[in-house]
Amino acid sequence: MNSNLIRLTGALTLALLLSFASCGKDGSTKTISKASLIARNWIQTDLLAAQAGTPEVSVFNSFFEACDKDNIWQFSANGTYTVVEGSTKCVSTDPNVVSSGTWQLTENETKIIIDDSAEPAETLTIRELTSTSFRISGTQVSNGTTFTATIVFTAQ
């Protein structure tokens, strides 16, 4: 798993994507595409981790300093993303852009590939996607132990 992604979002896991529907003027239901739901600004609000057979626990505060918790993930409709500093920086001279790369949906839109420009691409399972919440998950091996990590985002 790419170290920037771990630092910024922790371990990743994605699951089933939920569709968001709205009513049009004619009373018909229009489904908003999953890509349209993703293409917005998100802030990471939690990082959950679990080993096989154990419940997920939050490790957000263990992985992130307060100055990293307000970073904004900007997913664009053109398939690019940028992670930018929020209102606080850990080091005032750090650049505003923390990370950037591309993203795309795959496997019938149940997975997302996040390809950081400085690290190998990661394929993550979409666990939840609504207009306000986005959860992605993946597996990680650390010191011979496999665990699942879930990144929780809230729309901005």
Side-chain angles (χ1 to χ4, degrees):
M1 187 173 285
N2 108 28
S3 61
N4 284 335
L5 206 49
I6 291 173
R7 179 178 171 268
L8 298 172
T9 64
L12 306 174
T13 307
L14 302 181
L16 184 59
L17 221 63
L18 301 174
S19 295
F20 179 79
S22 64
C23 292
K25 289 182 180 179
D26 62 359
S28 65
T29 300
K30 295 180 183 179
T31 302
I32 296 176
S33 74
K34 293 174 184 178
S36 293
L37 285 172
I38 293 170
R40 65 187 68 220
N41 290 346
W42 299 92
I43 189 164
Q44 184 179 352
T45 53
D46 209 350
L47 174 61
L48 308 171
Q51 291 180 340
T54 65
E56 289 181 319
V57 295
S58 178
V59 294
F60 189 60
N61 291 327
S62 299
F63 276 86
F64 297 96
E65 296 180 51
C67 55
D68 293 321
K69 292 178 181 178
D70 63 352
N71 291 352
I72 300 166
W73 286 68
Q74 301 170 328
F75 286 87
S76 298
N78 68 0
T80 62
Y81 78 91
T82 305
V83 180
V84 297
E85 293 280 2
S87 60
T88 59
K89 286 185 174 183
C90 296
V91 177
S92 63
T93 57
D94 281 348
N96 194 44
V97 174
V98 176
S99 179
S100 64
T102 61
W103 68 277
Q104 69 179 25
L105 295 173
T106 187
E107 296 188 34
N108 201 28
E109 299 185 334
T110 62
K111 296 188 183 274
I112 185 171
I113 299 170
I114 297 179
D115 191 357
D116 183 296
S117 60
E119 301 288 339
E122 294 288 331
T123 301
L124 307 167
T125 302
I126 299 170
R127 294 183 59 189
E128 177 184 14
L129 179 59
T130 69
S131 62
T132 60
S133 182
F134 182 30
R135 290 175 178 245
I136 55 178
S137 298
T139 57
Q140 173 75 20
V141 178
S142 177
N143 297 324
T145 302
T146 301
F147 65 93
T148 299
T150 301
I151 301 167
V152 180
F153 293 105
T154 301
Q156 292 300 288

